[in-house]
Amino acid sequence: MPRSKPPTMSDVAKLAGVSPMTVSRALRPNASASESTRKKIREAADQLGYVLDSTAAGLSSRKTGFVAVTIPSINNANFANTIRGLNEGLQDSGLQVLLGFTDYNIKEEERLVEAFLRRRPEAIVVTGGVHTERCRRYLAASGVPVIEIWDLPSSPIEHSVGFSNVKAGRAMANYLVDKGYKNIGFIGGNTKQDARGSDRCEGFAEVLEERGLSTERLRISEEPVRNMAQGAAAMDYLIDKHPDTQAVMCASDLSAFGAMMSCQRRGLKVPEDIAIAGFGGYDISANAIPQITTLEAGDYQIGTETAKVILSQLADDNDETEERAPQRIKIATQLLERESTSPK
Amino acid sequence: MPRSKPPTMSDVAKLAGVSPMTVSRALRPNASASESTRKKIREAADQLGYVLDSTAAGLSSRKTGFVAVTIPSINNANFANTIRGLNEGLQDSGLQVLLGFTDYNIKEEERLVEAFLRRRPEAIVVTGGVHTERCRRYLAASGVPVIEIWDLPSSPIEHSVGFSNVKAGRAMANYLVDKGYKNIGFIGGNTKQDARGSDRCEGFAEVLEERGLSTERLRISEEPVRNMAQGAAAMDYLIDKHPDTQAVMCASDLSAFGAMMSCQRRGLKVPEDIAIAGFGGYDISANAIPQITTLEAGDYQIGTETAKVILSQLADDNDETEERAPQRIKIATQLLERESTSPK
DNA sequence: AATAACCCCGTTATCGCTAACACATTGAAG
DNA sequence: CTTCAATGTGTTAGCGATAACGGGGTTATT
C-alpha cells in the first residue's frame, strides 16, 4: 500500500513532454488531440498508474457526472428492476447513478436529498410524489432536472415517469368484481409515508363502492404489509374477522404469497375457496403453485424511460434554445391473470 | 427552475458579513466558531438556499466521503442485506456509499472499479475474491483500504469479511449425508465468473467423495442457476436423468423454491420423496410450505462488520503511528433445519 | 501584572482539473 | 499567392472549498 500520493495530470504531462491541458484532452474521447501524442500520453499514464480525478474535473467543468436517485428500499425487486433499467439506459452516457435508500420515510428522503445535492448531481430522481415541504424546496431550487417516478403526482415538481396507483387498484378491483366475487378484501398497510400502497387501496375501494360491494374488508393493518410474514399475518386476521371473504388483493406479490401460504395452512384452497391477487409482477407470482394473479407495473421500463428523460433534458440544456417542458411519461401496467383467481 | 447558478460560500459570507473561511467552519460540527456567528451564518445560508459543494470540499480537503462498493446484482436479497448493514454501520460517520453492480462479471467489475477510483473514495469494498489482473492492480495501487467481502480469499488484496463458501458447501453435504440420504445432488451454475457458487459446490462434492457417495448428480447446468425458473428447470433435468435422487442442495433459496415447485408439479412430495435444501436464508425459505432448510450466510452482519473495518482503518490513518494490519473477519454461517429435509 | 493559553476569525495558497483564448502550423480554396 | 478554415497545442485563470498560519482579544495561571 504505497503511501505516496497518487500521480496527477501534471506528472503525466511531464513524463510525456506535453502540457497538462494536452493530457486532459488526450484522455477524453471527443477532444482534439493527435493520435501520436495521444498514444504517448496513454503510455505515460499507464506507466504511472494515473487515474483521472473526477472530483477536480467536476469542479472545473461544473459537470459531476452524477445522477442522484432515491428509492425506498434495496430489498424490493420492483425498485431493483427500475435501477437496472436506469443503469442500462445511462450506460453509454458517462453518467453514474448515486443511489440512496429512504426506508419508506420521507424525512429520511429529505436528509438523503440534501446530502445528494451537495454532490451537485446533474439530475435527481426520487421515488414517489410525496415529500416533505423542505424536500420539495430543495428539489425545486436544485437547478437540475427533477424526476419523480413510480407515480404520476397531481402536482409534480417537474418531470414524472410512472403510472397511477389509484387506477392500478381500480383495475384489479374491477377484474375481481367482473369475476363474480362479492366479498372482496384488500391487504395492505395504511402508512402515510408510502402513498403508493394506499393509493392502490383507494382505487380499489372506489370500485367496490361504485359497484355496490362492501368495503369493510379493506386496509387491515396500520403497519406496513410488504413481506411474506406480514401478508400471512394480515390474511389470518382478515379471515378470522370475515370468514366469508371470497377474494383478496394484496399490496405486493410477496404479501400475496404469504397470504396464500396462510390459507393453505388453514386448509383453504386457492382459488377454489378464496382467490388471491398480488401486485408487482414478482418472480414468485409466476413460480408459486398456484401461480398468482398480479399487476405488472413496468418497473424496468420506468428505469429506461427515466434515463431517456434525463438524457433529453441534459441535451436540451446544451441547446438552451427551447424552454424545458416538464415531461409526464405514463407507463402501462398489465394485469396478468393467473391460477390464483381462476376457478378451474 | 432558476437558471442562475447556485450560491457559493462567498455569497453566504458576504451576506453574513464574515469571511468565507468562517462560513466553512460554522457549517461544520467540530470546527471552532462562536454560537452567535454560527447562527448568523446559518440564517444567511438558509436565506440564500445555500448547499455546501462537497465536490470542492473534497478537492481541497482530500476527503471525498465516499466508500465505493461493488456487488454482483441489486436483485439479490443477500447482497441487499449486506448493503443495508453497511449503510447502517456507516450512518453516523458522514461516509456515503457509492454503489455499483457488476452483473456477476469480473470484466464489468474492472470497469466499475476504475470508474469508482476516479471519484477518489476513501475505501473500496468489492464482493468476492476473484478479479481480473488489472483490477487487482487498480485496487492494490489505490492507496485506500480495500475490503473483499462474501468470501475469504486465499490471497486477499488487503482486508476481507466473509465466510468460506467451500466450508458452507461441506456443512450442508455433511448434514444431508448424516440425515441418511445417499443419492444426493447439487443444483447450481458452473460459472467461472462467480466463484462463490462453485466453491459451495466444490465443498459439497468433497464431502460426498469423502463419505463414499456418488458425485454424478452435481453441477447440472453450465448456465447460472439463480432464480426460481432456473431452479425448476434444473430440477426437471436432474430428476429426468436421475430419478432415484433423494436429496438436493440448490445454490440459492430461490432456485430451491423453484426446484420444489417443480417436484410438486410432478407429484413428488417434499421431503418424503425428495429432500431439498437451499442457501442464503431468504424470506421464502421460512414462508414456503414446506419450509426450506437453508444455510444462513450472515449477510447483514457482513455489512456491519465491513463498516467497522472501514471506520477503524480510516481512524488508524489519522494516527499514522501503527502500521495497518490486514484484517480477516470470519462471519459465522448457520444451518437452519426446516421441513424440506426433515421426514416427519 | 505579566506570561501563557486559549478562542475566533481573517489571509494566503493551494487542491487537480478544464474553459476559453491565443497561437502556430497545415492544407485547401479562391 | 493570398485568404481562410481546420487542427493541434500551450497559456492563463479560475471552479468552490479548506489547510495552515497568524494575529487580536479574552481568560486563566503563577
Side-chain angles (χ1 to χ4, degrees):
Chain A
M1 206 75 359
R3 290 210 173 268
S4 62
K5 58 182 76 158
T8 73
M9 210 168 247
S10 297
D11 298 327
V12 178
K14 234 168 277 171
L15 184 60
V18 294
S19 77
M21 192 66 235
T22 304
V23 176
S24 173
R25 281 191 275 246
L27 261 31
R28 273 176 292 177
N30 304 326
S32 64
S34 77
E35 208 39 61
S36 61
T37 57
R38 189 168 290 213
K39 191 182 166 210
K40 200 168 52 183
I41 286 168
R42 254 202 283 268
E43 278 166 6
D46 236 47
Q47 191 184 323
L48 293 174
Y50 173 74
V51 178
L52 178 70
D53 185 333
S54 36
T55 303
L59 181 59
S60 181
S61 68
R62 315 177 124 288
K63 291 195 173 186
T64 58
F66 276 132
V67 172
V69 183
T70 71
I71 58 176
S73 165
I74 187 177
N75 281 84
N76 180 306
N78 283 147
F79 300 131
N81 281 333
T82 298
I83 296 302
R84 284 200 308 113
L86 185 60
N87 263 326
E88 186 75 23
L90 253 31
Q91 202 163 36
D92 306 317
S93 67
L95 257 25
Q96 208 168 68
V97 168
L98 190 54
L99 190 58
F101 312 105
T102 67
D103 208 18
Y104 297 92
N105 180 327
I106 60 174
K107 190 71 191 164
E108 184 60 29
E109 181 191 60
E110 176 190 312
R111 267 194 292 277
L112 209 51
V113 165
E114 200 196 341
F116 279 169
L117 248 28
R118 287 201 237 275
R119 302 286 183 185
R120 297 292 188 267
E122 298 184 40
I124 305 179
V125 179
V126 293
T127 302
V130 180
H131 317 284
T132 66
E133 191 48 48
R134 177 179 269 266
C135 185
R136 289 187 77 89
R137 273 208 310 277
Y138 280 145
L139 292 171
S142 69
V144 297
V146 174
I147 302 144
E148 292 170 284
I149 62 173
W150 274 91
D151 211 339
L152 293 172
S154 47
S155 54
I157 298 175
E158 193 178 0
H159 313 287
S160 45
V161 178
F163 58 92
S164 161
N165 281 285
V166 174
K167 282 193 189 163
R170 294 185 59 95
M172 187 59 86
N174 274 315
Y175 164 78
L176 291 175
V177 178
D178 287 347
K179 272 273 170 184
Y181 299 110
K182 304 286 183 209
N183 305 333
I184 304 178
F186 184 98
I187 283 179
N190 176 24
T191 73
K192 286 127 211 148
Q193 300 282 347
D194 178 14
R196 290 173 296 286
S198 38
D199 279 356
R200 291 199 281 274
C201 184
E202 188 188 316
F204 197 84
E206 278 175 19
V207 168
L208 292 191
E209 264 183 60
E210 285 167 20
R211 303 185 66 170
L213 296 174
S214 160
T215 58
E216 62 184 356
R217 294 177 188 78
L218 303 182
R219 225 174 225 157
I220 302 312
S221 163
E222 288 299 313
E223 298 297 305
V225 181
R226 284 192 272 268
N227 63 31
M228 296 175 182
Q230 289 161 345
M235 185 56 122
D236 277 336
Y237 182 85
L238 177 60
I239 295 185
D240 284 343
K241 200 162 172 193
H242 303 281
D244 59 349
T245 302
Q246 299 170 327
V248 177
M249 175 182 183
C250 297
S252 88
D253 283 351
L254 300 184
S255 43
F257 179 79
M260 197 162 81
M261 294 300 103
S262 171
C263 293
Q264 197 167 320
R265 252 177 246 116
R266 288 168 170 260
L268 289 173
K269 288 206 164 230
V270 177
E272 291 82 355
D273 299 326
I274 186 167
I276 292 181
F279 179 88
Y282 283 66
D283 255 17
I284 196 165
S285 66
N287 285 277
I289 297 178
Q291 296 184 318
I292 302 172
T293 294
T294 188
L295 203 59
E296 161 96 42
D299 44 18
Y300 182 81
Q301 204 196 344
I302 291 178
T304 55
E305 290 298 321
T306 301
K308 281 186 203 163
V309 172
I310 293 171
L311 293 177
S312 80
Q313 289 299 311
L314 294 184
D316 283 7
D317 240 25
N318 294 344
D319 286 3
E320 197 84 45
T321 50
E322 51 192 303
E323 203 42 38
R324 274 192 213 156
Q327 291 191 244
R328 189 180 180 82
I329 312 288
K330 196 172 161 185
I331 302 294
T333 61
Q334 200 181 352
L335 200 155
L336 302 176
E337 177 173 40
R338 300 237 179 86
E339 298 161 350
S340 70
T341 58
S342 306
K344 285 159 195 170
Chain B
M1 204 74 358
R3 290 211 173 267
S4 63
K5 59 183 75 159
T8 74
M9 212 167 244
S10 296
D11 298 327
V12 178
K14 232 168 279 169
L15 185 61
V18 295
S19 78
M21 191 67 233
T22 304
V23 176
S24 173
R25 282 191 273 246
L27 260 32
R28 272 177 292 178
N30 305 326
S32 61
S34 76
E35 207 41 61
S36 61
T37 56
R38 191 168 288 216
K39 189 180 169 212
K40 199 168 52 182
I41 286 168
R42 253 202 283 269
E43 277 167 6
D46 234 48
Q47 190 183 323
L48 292 173
Y50 173 73
V51 177
L52 178 70
D53 185 334
S54 36
T55 303
L59 180 59
S60 181
S61 68
R62 314 175 128 288
K63 290 195 175 188
T64 57
F66 275 132
V67 172
V69 183
T70 71
I71 59 175
S73 165
I74 188 178
N75 281 86
N76 180 306
N78 284 145
F79 300 130
N81 281 333
T82 297
I83 297 302
R84 282 201 308 113
L86 186 60
N87 264 325
E88 187 75 23
L90 254 32
Q91 203 163 37
D92 306 318
S93 67
L95 256 24
Q96 207 168 68
V97 168
L98 190 54
L99 190 58
F101 312 104
T102 68
D103 209 18
Y104 297 92
N105 180 327
I106 60 174
K107 191 69 192 166
E108 185 60 30
E109 181 191 57
E110 176 189 313
R111 266 193 294 276
L112 209 51
V113 165
E114 200 196 340
F116 279 170
L117 248 29
R118 287 202 239 275
R119 302 287 184 185
R120 297 293 188 265
E122 298 185 41
I124 306 179
V125 179
V126 293
T127 303
V130 179
H131 318 282
T132 65
E133 191 47 49
R134 178 178 267 267
C135 185
R136 288 188 78 89
R137 274 207 310 278
Y138 280 144
L139 292 171
S142 69
V144 296
V146 174
I147 300 145
E148 292 169 286
I149 62 173
W150 273 90
D151 212 338
L152 293 172
S154 47
S155 52
I157 298 175
E158 193 178 359
H159 312 287
S160 45
V161 177
F163 58 91
S164 161
N165 280 284
V166 173
K167 282 192 189 161
R170 292 186 61 94
M172 187 57 88
N174 274 316
Y175 164 78
L176 291 175
V177 177
D178 287 347
K179 271 275 169 183
Y181 299 111
K182 303 286 182 207
N183 305 332
I184 304 178
F186 184 97
I187 283 178
N190 176 24
T191 73
K192 287 128 213 150
Q193 301 282 347
D194 177 15
R196 289 172 298 284
S198 37
D199 280 356
R200 292 198 282 273
C201 184
E202 190 188 313
F204 197 84
E206 278 175 17
V207 168
L208 293 191
E209 263 182 64
E210 287 168 17
R211 304 187 64 170
L213 296 175
S214 161
T215 58
E216 62 185 356
R217 293 176 188 79
L218 304 181
R219 225 175 224 155
I220 303 311
S221 162
E222 289 299 315
E223 298 297 305
V225 181
R226 283 191 273 268
N227 63 32
M228 296 177 182
Q230 289 161 345
M235 186 56 124
D236 277 336
Y237 182 85
L238 177 60
I239 295 185
D240 284 343
K241 203 165 171 191
H242 302 281
D244 58 350
T245 303
Q246 299 168 326
V248 178
M249 174 183 184
C250 297
S252 88
D253 284 349
L254 299 184
S255 43
F257 179 79
M260 197 163 81
M261 293 301 103
S262 170
C263 292
Q264 196 167 322
R265 253 177 246 113
R266 287 168 171 261
L268 289 174
K269 287 206 164 232
V270 177
E272 291 82 355
D273 300 325
I274 187 167
I276 292 181
F279 178 89
Y282 282 67
D283 256 16
I284 194 164
S285 66
N287 286 277
I289 299 179
Q291 295 184 320
I292 302 172
T293 294
T294 189
L295 204 58
E296 162 95 41
D299 43 17
Y300 181 82
Q301 204 197 344
I302 291 179
T304 55
E305 290 298 320
T306 301
K308 281 186 203 162
V309 171
I310 293 171
L311 294 177
S312 80
Q313 289 298 312
L314 294 184
D316 284 4
D317 240 25
N318 293 345
D319 285 2
E320 198 86 43
T321 51
E322 51 193 301
E323 202 43 37
R324 271 192 215 156
Q327 291 191 245
R328 187 179 181 84
I329 311 289
K330 196 171 162 185
I331 302 294
T333 60
Q334 199 181 351
L335 201 155
L336 303 177
E337 180 173 38
R338 301 236 180 86
E339 298 161 350
S340 70
T341 58
S342 307
K344 284 160 196 169

